[in-house]
Amino acid sequence: ACDVAESELPEITRVAEIVAQRYLNGGQIGFLANAQALQQELMGRSGGMIHMGFARSTKTDRPEAEKTNDVAIIGWERPPAARELQSLKDARARGCYVIGFGPRKMAALTEYLSTCDAWFDTGFGNDDCVVRLDDGSMAGRGNCLMNVLHGWTLTAEIVSALTRHGKMPTMWKSFSYADGREWADRYVG
């Protein structure tokens, strides 16, 4: 799985450069809510960007020109809820660059693919079990794993792209450090 994500690095880097430029132009990087794993993984884990999330802006009054530079991220490891397609269309209509993560082979996502500006494919479909148990049954979730690998690789490449422009985004520090919560209190909001 790591080798697959690494092989897609040129495309991930290309998308990260677009995201970085939009961020430098005042756009926010946020998530379209869908109760699946990717946004929870990227939104608050140590090593990630603190200001990922539309409610985590450092500016309270952004002009429309900045808002049209927003980037919306959404991922699926299982079929979407009906309302999610309209959420994507609304984001695109307001100028968001939409990045989708999930299985291209999942029929329920066919229309979503064309609504996203960029898509990172898990390589699986509805059946993403990857581990055979002793009794012959299958377990594990390949879609979730691939989304997370692509998501963290994209995050790293966004940070890399921003640093090439002289901007270092504020990153989460683990709460397992004695000053982890103090760090968060200092930078969130």
Side-chain angles (χ1 to χ4, degrees), residues 46-168:
S46 64
M49 294 171 56
I50 285 181
H51 297 109
M52 283 182 95
F54 291 127
R56 292 188 175 160
S57 177
T58 57
K59 295 170 79 175
T60 55
D61 207 15
R62 296 186 312 140
E64 285 304 312
E66 289 183 4
K67 292 177 183 177
T68 61
N69 281 291
D70 285 352
V71 175
I73 295 172
I74 189 165
W76 295 274
E77 67 263 8
R78 59 186 185 281
R83 72 186 184 296
E84 293 172 23
L85 184 58
Q86 190 58 51
S87 176
L88 258 67
K89 290 179 178 179
D90 292 346
R92 289 287 302 273
R94 69 178 184 86
C96 276
Y97 183 80
V98 178
I99 305 171
F101 295 78
R104 279 190 189 276
K105 295 177 187 174
M106 186 179 286
L109 291 174
T110 300
E111 194 171 356
Y112 292 74
L113 292 164
S114 63
T115 308
C116 294
D117 295 291
W119 187 275
F120 295 103
D121 183 22
T122 66
F124 295 98
N126 287 330
D127 181 6
D128 63 337
C129 294
V130 293
V131 177
R132 183 170 307 283
L133 302 176
D134 289 341
D135 67 1
S137 64
M138 296 294 289
R141 295 288 173 238
N143 286 329
C144 185
L145 173 65
M146 289 307 302
N147 282 346
V148 168
L149 287 171
H150 283 131
W152 276 110
T153 305
L154 178 63
T155 300
E157 287 300 307
I158 292 168
V159 173
S160 296
L162 287 169
T163 60
R164 286 190 288 275
H165 290 282
K167 171 80 173 167
M168 177 63 202

